[in-house]
Amino acid sequence: MYSKWTLFMPTLLITAMDKTGEHTTEAFTAQQSLFDVMLSDACTPRTRMAAILILQSFLEGSLQYLAVAEGGKKETPSQTFTSLSQKLTDTVTDMHTVLLAIIAGKSVGMKIEVERDDSVLSAALRCLAVLIQNSPYARLTHHDLRADCFQACIEVAEDSDSVRLAQLETLAHLFDAGFIVPDVQAKSLLLNLMRPHWKPAPDTQTPPNSNLWVASLDLMSAFARNQMHWISDDWDAWIDSEVVQVGLEVGKSGRSDLVRVATMKLVEQFAKSVQPLYTGKETDSGPVTAQWWINLLMNRVLPALEDGLFAVRALALDSLAHVPADCFDNLPGSINLAESVVKLLEDVDENVRRSCCMTLGVYVTLAFFSKDTEFVYLLAHKLPALAKDGDLLVRVRASWAVANLGDTLLADHIKGENRVLDELSEDIYCKLMECALLYANDNEKCRSNGVRAIGNFARISKDGCILINLDKVMTAIIQNIESGPFKVRWNSCYAAHNIFQSPSFLSIHAQCTALPRLIAALARALVQSKNYKVRINAAMALSAPGCGVQIYGGVQEVERLVGVLESAMESVDDLRDTSFGEYRYRDQLNEQVCACFCNCVWFTNMCIHWIRVVDNGNGIQLKKTVRHLKRAIAGV
């Protein structure tokens, strides 16, 4: 349908006006278009609204097409070739011009009256919102159309509920499109527009329209999301204001659950936007101090965890995920966030359990929680039950939390910080490994996290734990290397790398009958996979430090693997079936394959032979390999 746009919206608007010198609707007599119908007083309101709805249907889903637009609107018609990007720029500009003319009646100097019909005006505002969502403003350099949109929307004088609702929604989309409020006066106009919808007027007991109330709260959320610098000094006033308090209480009287949800969204957005402002140093954080977070948690977030509405509880959990890492040490003992979150893992609503898992997945990456042995014990007992949850997204986020826990414990182990690891019993390691195995055999959305967790726990676990689960671990890793999405495969290869670096596995590898199959699976992935990250991690696994000849199955198997690696090195420069996105990993793949090649050659008596082959065949291409081999010969 995109190719037919010019039949409905010919780019004649500015051209016709330039010829006449007058910005009047009489300039459109040459060819009828949607723009003519939308602007014509001769058409009925119903007809004009139908034309606007047709334009809106054209615009929905047009983001990728309109992204081609670039530059500015041509002031005079061109008699030569006009590129598609210029045509689309002209079309986008014309659409803004026409819609703003309907809304405000004074865009680009057009002398037409403001639209008086509520249905047409609200339709024009909603169409403008869709246009804002799909316009590539960063590429339109001639004039900031967003400023014109803001000025037109903020000055809409019609007071009907439908128009006000469309006005608020359009402004919210405008902020999400990157519009920056220019000055304090514009900010005041915006706040004055929203305030009447938050509470009854002093001279009436009529409650506010709940739809307008929700729209105004959503607009404030968009403002906080994109204009943090304007309201950072007023956070306390907003969080403790009547707006938030009344919004969270209103639904409890049975009047409107949507208002409570929108208010909690606003609180969550405040927490997310203000998180970067907290530096951990009270003197540098401005108004966002540890006390600010304590007030937010005590007065708004923690009480919401007990709310009867599932959406409010879920948003409260999302808010807890935004607490800065440096702030936890400053919280009083009466605020136990870990306990508050973990107890909601058994909530009856799946949305709450999803948010709970997401928050825990954030917490396990923080030193404050990962060094808390009691917290790790608690997760080890609670998370395995979620592997059997009936909701897929709960399992996906729970698997992410388990994998993050493994990443954090492994990072501490590599740094030599083993206090928590030493305090964990073998039973806890086994529970975590069993949990990871469940996710590794679950839906493909869980499997990448499951195999990542297997590799982490295998590397840090004690001998008894890995011996108990050895066959299951090998089966899960091999299956996921050979099947599933690329993300699952490269995480499986990385898990194999961690397993080969595990002292526990190295001490019992002779008992692993599946080891030759794992080596073969890695070798096939290294040569056959079209994804470079899979091949990189497969090469890294095959060259893992600590793997002697016995791990590979003897010298003959190592020599056979060297031949595979030679093929892999030659295929690095074969880009015939390689997608463009993979090319950036080529150097990393080349380096990793060469390192693996040298590692395997080191275990044989073939060093001099392979240096000769490299020098005679591809000496220039494989200089890195020569350097690795010479270092290997020197015993470096």
Side-chain angles (χ1 to χ4, degrees), residues 161-233:
D161 288 351
S162 61
V163 173
R164 285 297 178 208
L165 183 61
Q167 178 190 29
L168 294 168
E169 292 172 349
T170 303
L171 286 169
H173 289 303
L174 189 60
F175 287 125
D176 285 331
F179 174 70
I180 305 297
V181 174
D183 50 41
V184 177
Q185 182 180 3
K187 174 189 170 184
S188 299
L189 289 172
L190 184 67
L191 296 179
N192 291 334
L193 176 67
M194 292 184 287
R195 282 195 181 105
H197 308 302
W198 290 335
K199 57 183 178 179
D203 57 345
T204 178
Q205 294 301 313
T206 304
N209 182 302
S210 60
N211 291 329
L212 291 174
W213 198 343
V214 170
S216 64
L217 290 169
D218 288 343
L219 175 55
M220 177 50 67
S221 294
F223 191 56
R225 185 161 51 247
N226 301 285
Q227 310 285 305
M228 182 176 62
H229 61 283
W230 273 115
I231 51 179
S232 58
D233 292 335

Side-chain angles (χ1 to χ4, degrees), residues 145-158:
L145 296 170
R146 291 169 294 188
D148 293 337
C149 293
F150 178 79
Q151 192 65 32
C153 290
I154 206 73
E155 293 180 357
V156 171
E158 188 61 41

Side-chain angles (χ1 to χ4, degrees), residues 149-442:
C149 293
F150 178 79
Q151 192 65 32
C153 290
I154 206 73
E155 293 180 357
V156 171
E158 188 61 41
D159 204 30
S160 70
D161 288 351
S162 61
V163 173
R164 285 297 178 208
L165 183 61
Q167 178 190 29
L168 294 168
E169 292 172 349
T170 303
L171 286 169
H173 289 303
L174 189 60
F175 287 125
D176 285 331
F179 174 70
I180 305 297
V181 174
D183 50 41
V184 177
Q185 182 180 3
K187 174 189 170 184
S188 299
L189 289 172
L190 184 67
L191 296 179
N192 291 334
L193 176 67
M194 292 184 287
R195 282 195 181 105
H197 308 302
W198 290 335
K199 57 183 178 179
D203 57 345
T204 178
Q205 294 301 313
T206 304
N209 182 302
S210 60
N211 291 329
L212 291 174
W213 198 343
V214 170
S216 64
L217 290 169
D218 288 343
L219 175 55
M220 177 50 67
S221 294
F223 191 56
R225 185 161 51 247
N226 301 285
Q227 310 285 305
M228 182 176 62
H229 61 283
W230 273 115
I231 51 179
S232 58
D233 292 335
D234 299 328
W235 288 115
D236 288 329
W238 284 106
I239 290 297
D240 294 326
S241 69
E242 188 178 356
V243 175
V244 176
Q245 180 180 351
V246 173
L248 290 176
E249 294 291 332
V250 65
K252 295 182 180 179
S253 62
R255 281 168 50 194
S256 178
D257 289 341
L258 293 177
V259 172
R260 278 163 61 211
V261 173
T263 306
M264 201 63 215
K265 282 183 181 178
L266 177 59
V267 173
E268 189 266 339
Q269 187 58 59
F270 276 167
K272 183 177 181 179
S273 297
V274 82
Q275 183 190 44
L277 296 179
Y278 184 78
T279 63
K281 299 178 180 179
E282 300 294 289
T283 56
D284 298 336
S285 296
V288 187
T289 62
Q291 188 59 48
W292 185 93
W293 281 102
I294 292 171
N295 293 339
L296 176 70
L297 295 173
M298 294 292 291
N299 300 330
R300 304 299 175 212
V301 180
L302 293 179
L305 294 176
E306 307 294 333
D307 197 281
L309 190 61
F310 75 87
V312 174
R313 299 198 301 276
L315 287 166
L317 287 166
D318 293 340
S319 302
L320 291 178
H322 301 313
V323 178
D326 295 331
C327 187
F328 288 100
D329 288 326
N330 297 321
L331 297 180
S334 58
I335 300 180
N336 189 336
L337 297 186
E339 182 180 342
S340 299
V341 175
V342 170
K343 70 179 182 181
L344 289 176
L345 283 172
E346 300 175 357
D347 195 277
V348 295
D349 186 84
E350 65 273 11
N351 295 283
V352 178
R353 298 198 300 276
R354 292 172 192 170
S355 295
C356 192
C357 292
M358 180 63 73
T359 301
L360 289 175
V362 173
Y363 281 2
V364 297
T365 64
L366 306 179
F368 181 85
F369 292 102
S370 64
K371 298 184 185 305
D372 184 348
T373 308
E374 184 178 346
F375 177 71
V376 176
Y377 263 91
L378 192 58
L379 289 187
H381 284 91
K382 293 288 186 180
L383 290 177
L386 293 175
K388 300 177 182 179
D389 195 282
D391 184 79
L392 175 59
L393 285 180
V394 171
R395 302 200 304 276
V396 170
R397 295 186 179 184
S399 67
W400 180 70
V402 172
N404 284 359
L405 176 61
D407 287 343
T408 303
L409 294 176
L410 177 57
D412 290 343
H413 171 71
I414 293 174
K415 291 186 293 186
E417 300 174 0
N418 295 319
R419 182 185 62 81
V420 175
L421 296 176
D422 293 340
E423 293 177 359
L424 296 178
S425 65
E426 185 173 309
D427 179 60
I428 292 298
Y429 283 114
C430 290
K431 282 183 179 293
L432 292 172
M433 181 63 80
E434 290 169 3
C435 183
L437 285 167
L438 288 173
Y439 291 124
N441 293 290
D442 199 345

Side-chain angles (χ1 to χ4, degrees), residues 502-522:
S502 168
S504 298
F505 175 76
L506 295 178
S507 66
I508 62 169
H509 76 273
Q511 304 176 44
C512 181
T513 58
L515 185 55
R517 290 194 294 121
L518 177 58
I519 298 292
L522 290 168

Side-chain angles (χ1 to χ4, degrees), residues 561-577:
L561 182 59
V562 168
V564 173
L565 289 167
E566 183 187 25
S567 299
M569 285 191 291
E570 293 174 352
S571 67
V572 167
D573 292 325
D574 185 0
L575 304 176
R576 286 175 296 180
D577 297 325

Side-chain angles (χ1 to χ4, degrees), residues 410 413-414 421 429 433 453-467 470 473-474 493-510 512 515 518 540-541 543-548 551:
L410 177 57
H413 171 71
I414 293 174
L421 296 176
Y429 283 114
M433 181 63 80
I454 287 176
N456 291 331
F457 295 137
R459 187 167 173 180
I460 63 177
S461 63
K462 300 178 181 178
D463 296 354
C465 174
I466 196 168
L467 182 60
L470 186 58
V473 167
M474 288 294 158
C493 293
Y494 189 73
H497 164 76
N498 277 328
I499 290 173
F500 287 155
Q501 289 192 307
S502 168
S504 298
F505 175 76
L506 295 178
S507 66
I508 62 169
H509 76 273
C512 181
L515 185 55
L518 177 58
M540 185 166 57
S543 61
C547 295
I551 293 289

